[in-house]
Structure formats: structure tokens, C-alpha cells
Amino acid sequence: MSALPYSLAETLYRQQRAEYQNLHLGVIIMSPLRLAILWLSLFTSPSAPTALPSYVAAVYEHLVVLNTNPGIDLGRRAALAHMQKNLDVFEEQAALAAQQGAQILVFPEDAIQGFNFTRASIAGYLELVPDPTVVTWNPCSEPARFSDTEVLQRLSCMAQKNSLYLVANMAGLQVCNSTTDAHCASDGRYQFNTDVVFSSDGTLVARYRKQNLYFEAAFDTPLEMELVTFSTPFAGRFGVFTCFDIMFREPAVALVENLGVKQLVYPTAWMNQLPLLAAVQFQRSFSYAAAVTILAANVRAASLGMTGSGIFTPWQEVHQHDMVGETGRLLVSRVPVLDPAVIARSTGSTGLAWLPFSGHRKREPGLDEAGDAHGWPRKGWHLDDQAKPRSMESDYCLPGNDNCNDRPARPVVFTSIMMYDNFTLVPLQDTEGNLTVCDGSLCCHLLFRRSTAPGTELYALGAFQGLHVVHGTYYLEVCALVKCTGPDFASCGGETEHAQTRIDFRLEGNFSTRHVFPGILGSGMALDIPDESGRESDNWFYMSRTGMTAGLVTATLYSRVYEKDNS
């Protein structure tokens, strides 16, 4: 068996995704909980050549049964009774996933106990989670080995009963001595936001403690950052991280770049924020940019803006985003194995030659270096006659200059708050054109053709370079083409899920980092990927896309300059 070339896999994906979107394949409504199971199989075309090895993955977006008074300590007995209500749902979903052939199932962050606890009030929910690199333990088979581990026991038995790998998130503890340990709290314990992984026989095989907490007063930050992986017989190695971790180099990017991990499990409790950071939007971008599979399970809580789960490979996804309904949803998908070691054993090839954060350039017959697949110029269009980045004024007439009547007037440059950051923007005032906008040393350039007249919907090209300081501190460089929520400039950067205007575009920026996450979002939360993307020889990163069937909500090159987070 030989490996499937990437270009062919991508072609098959685009054909089958179009069929999937047109026919709405595999949507099954389950009663009484009205849980939807989506089935998407990429490598099943009878005419397709020999494919990569594959496996069946599942994620469950859970509507959590919450503690209505999370600030009050319930004690162990009441806390356990509460958690069992959520575990009852887990039990049902594990059985449904197994019936669909799932070999691995991921549950969300905070899905067993809920959230908004204090350090003291979460005490009854805590369980000791031993280090599986030190202790080999099957909680289902050895329930008496550690006391007060009822949640671990039940999760282990779910995995064993359904013969699948199971990933869950829970409140973990580690006993410490505050007299001898300067970091130990006076209550004598560390409290960690903890992911646990069980093999198909119920053995605890991985434990990960969340490194990058998001306003989680109940939990401690681990003293040492962990890079946690586990291996499966059907797909090889997976890495583990949680929610807000995805915004930082460690552990998310470190798993990919330092350890070469190509498959990730990702419990999350993500609050959506458009236009740049909806859950499925960034999950899609991370998978594409890092060239990895992500199995992402989010909490379902419409009142808190929490939804968005999916199974993502660099070229394929099955996902759900529902800001209205109040039911859980199970997603099941057959996906290709991306672990190079497994691919080599199965096919004799090392697999896909797509490096993390390198982009993907799609060449077409007869295409020369001057243009990309859609005729956009590859080089030089963003440079002036001296081969320097064009300023915002270079292509336009300035007030009082009578010698440039053959050029258009300079576009309006304005600022607007987007995602709590002060972006510099220019509006798209024509049906097609070439725009530049800069913020600091970052310049963003756009070539575009739009399907509607400019007065129909307002769009703007924005740039931001600097330290984001609201709801987390991290350094960004962002180029973003966004649909504004209204006709005035102040609405650019607001949240919307809908657009009518289709735009063909090429977007690029002179980023100072290689960690650029391309993202394209269509109307109705339709996810898309670039036709091509990559870094030019002059260090500009670009992406292009034409022929979208949905109106464009956002096209963004969202980069993280990790080394400047403490600047």
C-alpha cells in the first residue's frame, strides 16, 4: 500500500466536501436527547486510489448539568452525585460512539463538574490522578487501589466497556506539604485542571495538567510545563492540551515542533468571539497551519456563547456550531492517520510532506513564478519601485497634489476596536482593487474582486501589531479582511455570522514570525481553507482564495509572536 499524495487527497476532499454540503450526509437525530451524529468518511470513494491508513474518531459537545451555586462547598457526597449526572450522559454517548465504530472519543473541558468554582468550593470534586508514567493502573479493574476515585473508575469502565480510547477533563489534586514546599497552599494540596486518557481496556495512559489557565480561581498553574503524549494501536501518537493552551507556544505548538506530534486531542470550554476567534474558526486555522489533526470537544452553553466542536485535519473537517439550540451533539468521522511512523509501517512511505507553518502552494500546469493559481501576482505587487513595502499613500493621490489625477484618491484610513485591540483599517471602496494598511512595522496587502457593489455591505482591511492585554496577555500580528456589521466605520470589528458578498482575494503580510494561522470564515459559520498559502522568498506570508459559495465574513492571517508575550 502506498501513501496518498497530498494534492490528490486535497482534491478528493474538495469533491467529497462539496457532496457532503449539498446532500447533508449522515445527519441522524437521536431521541430522547436529540443528539446529532454526523458521519463523514473521506477515503471511501470506490474510484479513489489506495489511501492513507485511517481510523474513526468522535468528539462530544456536552450540555453540562451545572452546579447552580458553584461558590459553595458541597462536600464529597453531594459533589459526586452532581458529577454522576454528567457521567450518565457520557455513558450514553460513549455507547453511541462505539456503535458508530469510534476508536477514540473526546469529551470537553469542565464537562463533568462545570465551572466558576473557588479554590475552596471545588474541594469535593477533586480526585487524586496518579502519574501514569510512574503508576500503571486500571481504575475499572482495580477500584480499591486509590480512595475517592469514583470519577476515574467510571471513565475507565466506559473505555473498557466500549473498547475505545477515552479522553476527559476533570478536577485533579496532588497532596503537598506547605511546611516543606514553598509553593504548596495552606490547605495542603495542588489543584489542577486535568485531562485524563484511558486506553480501550480502561488503563490510565496519560495525564495532562493545563498550563495556561483562563481566569480559573479553583486551579493552580503547574510548576513545570508538561508535553504529554500517548500512543494508540490504530493511529499512533497523540498529544494532549486544553482550551486556552492553543493560544500559546507551550504546550500546543511545542508538541508539534519539538516532538513532531501530528494528532492532537483538545478538550475545551471556549467562549466564542467573532470576527477572529470563534471556536471552530481557530480550531480550523490551527489544524491547517500546523498540519495536524485536532479532535476538539467544546462545552455547549448558548447563554455563555459556548459552542463549537469538530474533527479537523489540514484539508478536512466535520464540525458543529450552534448558538441557538440547547442539546449536546456527537460528531463521528473517519480520518486519515497522520503519524509518520504508522504511515511508514502501513505504506512504506513517510506520508504527507507538509511541514508545520509552511503553508501549501498549489501549482497548476503552465503556471509560472509570476502568478498563483488564480492569476494573482506572486511577487512584487506589494513593493514600490525601490522594492520596499508600499506605504498607504504610495498608490493614491494626496490632497493638494495636482500631478496625479490619473490615480484614485487616497482611501480613508481609520481605527476601530476589534477583539479589544485597536486596529488600523481601510475600507474596500471599489468592486476590485489593491489595498495596503500598516500598523507599526506590519503591513498588510490585499488584492480583491467582490461580487456586489461596495455600497451593499461594508468591508475593511485591518492591521494590528502589539500586545493584546484583555482576557489574556499575548503578542499579535494580524492582517484581517472583515465584513463590518453596519454601514459606518465604527462597526468594523463587530461580531456577525452572516454576509452576502463573495470576495476573491489574495491577502498577505510581512510577519516577523513563522507562526501564522490562516483562516477563512463564510456566512453561517461556513469554514473554508485557502486555495494556497505560503511564505514568499522576501518573507511575506500570503493566502489566496477564489470561488467561495458563501459570503465572506472574515479572512485573516492571525500570527502569534510568542517570544514577545512578556514585552
Side-chain angles (χ1 to χ4, degrees):
M1 183 180 291
S2 60
L4 187 66
Y6 170 76
S7 58
L8 182 55
E10 183 191 35
T11 299
L12 289 173
Y13 155 66
R14 288 197 179 279
Q15 292 173 347
Q16 294 194 9
R17 187 168 81 166
E19 294 172 359
Y20 170 73
Q21 290 172 335
N22 290 337
L23 299 177
H24 305 288
L25 294 177
V27 180
I28 306 172
I29 303 301
M30 307 298 297
S31 60
L33 297 179
R34 295 183 297 166
L35 305 176
I37 299 174
L38 278 74
W39 179 272
L40 175 62
S41 178
L42 174 61
F43 296 110
T44 56
S45 171
S47 61
T50 303
L52 291 171
S54 62
Y55 62 101
V56 180
V59 301
Y60 179 61
E61 182 164 304
H62 179 48
L63 179 64
V64 185
V65 179
L66 294 172
N67 178 344
T68 56
N69 294 297
I72 299 175
D73 183 3
L74 296 180
R76 176 62 179 174
R77 185 173 181 177
L80 187 58
H82 169 220
M83 290 188 286
Q84 295 291 6
K85 295 177 182 178
N86 287 304
L87 291 168
D88 288 345
V89 181
F90 280 24
E91 191 90 54
E92 295 173 359
Q93 297 307 311
L96 288 172
Q99 290 170 16
Q100 299 294 320
Q103 295 160 282
I104 184 169
L105 169 62
V106 183
F107 289 112
E109 180 188 27
D110 295 332
I112 295 176
Q113 79 277 351
F115 25 74
N116 295 329
F117 294 93
T118 67
R119 180 177 183 85
S121 69
I122 204 172
Y125 293 86
L126 299 169
E127 291 193 5
L128 173 67
V129 183
D131 184 352
T133 66
V134 177
V135 176
T136 300
W137 179 41
N138 186 315
C140 189
S141 302
E142 304 173 86
R145 186 171 179 182
F146 297 96
S147 60
D148 296 323
T149 55
E150 292 89 346
V151 172
L152 287 166
Q153 293 168 32
R154 191 157 183 197
L155 292 170
S156 170
C157 290
M158 277 184 220
Q160 185 182 97
K161 179 181 179 181
N162 295 288
S163 299
L164 49 71
Y165 274 66
L166 187 146
V167 182
N169 176 270
M170 61 186 294
L173 72 83
Q174 177 182 321
V175 176
C176 58
N177 188 327
S178 59
T179 302
T180 58
D181 183 351
H183 300 285
C184 181
S186 59
D187 54 24
R189 62 180 181 262
Y190 289 105
Q191 302 179 177
F192 297 114
N193 179 325
T194 306
D195 293 335
V196 290
V197 183
F198 298 91
S199 69
S200 56
D201 69 359
T203 300
L204 180 66
V205 294
R207 180 196 70 183
Y208 168 69
R209 294 163 168 175
K210 186 178 180 181
Q211 183 68 31
N212 300 285
L213 299 176
Y214 189 80
F215 302 101
E216 298 171 63
F219 296 122
D220 298 305
T221 300
L223 298 179
E224 295 183 1
M225 193 275 300
E226 303 173 308
L227 296 181
V228 174
T229 65
F230 63 95
S231 293
T232 69
F234 52 84
R237 188 169 57 158
F238 288 81
V240 190
F241 63 91
T242 312
C243 200
F244 200 40
D245 284 333
I246 203 170
M247 295 300 296
F248 299 89
R249 187 182 189 279
E250 296 177 333
V253 172
L255 283 166
V256 177
E257 293 189 328
N258 295 10
L259 300 187
V261 174
K262 302 292 289 182
Q263 300 163 146
L264 302 165
V265 294
Y266 178 54
T268 184
W270 190 277
M271 299 175 68
N272 289 282
Q273 188 167 21
L274 290 167
L276 304 180
L277 287 179
V280 294
Q281 179 185 23
F282 199 68
Q283 293 161 14
R284 167 73 281 169
S285 292
F286 192 99
S287 172
Y288 176 86
V292 296
T293 292
I294 297 181
L295 310 182
N298 197 7
V299 164
R300 180 79 191 92
S303 62
L304 298 175
M306 289 180 167
T307 183
S309 305
I311 299 169
F312 301 87
T313 74
W315 58 87
Q316 166 202 358
E317 83 272 342
V318 55
H319 75 279
Q320 88 97 19
H321 172 97
D322 180 6
M323 293 292 287
V324 179
E326 288 289 358
T327 59
R329 174 167 278 186
L330 181 69
L331 307 180
V332 180
S333 177
R334 177 169 292 279
V335 291
V337 174
L338 296 190
D339 187 322
V342 176
I343 294 173
R345 290 196 300 268
S346 301
T347 68
S349 167
T350 57
L352 306 178
W354 190 0
L355 299 176
F357 304 104
S358 64
H360 172 64
R361 176 170 293 183
K362 184 170 72 174
R363 298 301 184 95
E364 295 186 355
L367 185 68
D368 61 26
E369 288 291 332
D372 70 9
H374 305 292
W376 304 119
R378 285 197 186 277
K379 299 179 181 179
W381 67 274
H382 56 269
L383 304 176
D384 62 18
D385 293 339
Q386 285 74 46
K388 296 180 180 180
R390 294 184 187 275
S391 69
M392 287 181 286
E393 295 87 2
S394 59
D395 281 343
Y396 301 94
C397 285
L398 299 179
N401 186 345
D402 297 329
N403 298 318
C404 62
N405 292 328
D406 58 334
R407 285 184 284 164
R410 175 188 173 185
V412 176
V413 179
F414 63 97
T415 60
S416 186
I417 300 299
M418 187 187 311
M419 309 283 296
Y420 303 104
D421 295 317
N422 192 29
F423 274 68
T424 301
L425 302 103
V426 293
L428 277 61
Q429 296 177 313
D430 298 301
T431 303
E432 60 182 47
N434 171 355
L435 292 175
T436 301
V437 65
C438 302
D439 184 33
S441 62
L442 173 69
C443 285
C444 306
H445 304 290
L446 175 72
L447 284 175
F448 69 93
R449 292 186 294 258
R450 56 185 292 168
S451 64
T452 62
T456 307
E457 292 180 314
L458 177 61
Y459 283 81
L461 171 67
F464 174 77
Q465 180 185 56
L467 195 66
H468 175 92
V469 295
V470 179
H471 301 161
T473 302
Y474 42 90
Y475 199 96
L476 298 173
E477 292 179 346
V478 182
C479 294
L481 169 59
V482 296
K483 187 230 172 186
C484 307
T485 59
D488 56 294
F489 292 160
S491 72
C492 298
E495 298 192 44
T496 182
E497 294 185 6
H498 302 287
Q500 296 179 344
T501 303
R502 299 183 303 278
I503 301 180
D504 296 339
F505 66 88
R506 177 182 164 111
L507 175 66
E508 74 175 29
N510 61 335
F511 301 99
S512 65
T513 176
R514 66 189 298 266
H515 298 113
V516 181
F517 300 89
I520 303 172
L521 186 64
S523 186
M525 296 299 296
L527 301 180
D528 211 328
I529 57 175
D531 291 324
E532 59 175 73
S533 64
R535 191 170 298 278
E536 302 285 17
S537 58
D538 52 5
N539 213 38
W540 291 72
F541 192 94
Y542 76 96
M543 70 171 173
S544 63
R545 181 74 173 100
T546 69
M548 289 180 62
T549 57
L552 180 67
V553 173
T554 305
T556 180
L557 295 173
Y558 189 97
S559 82
R560 282 285 287 110
V561 189
Y562 301 113
E563 60 272 21
K564 291 186 178 181
D565 283 355
N566 297 319
S567 63

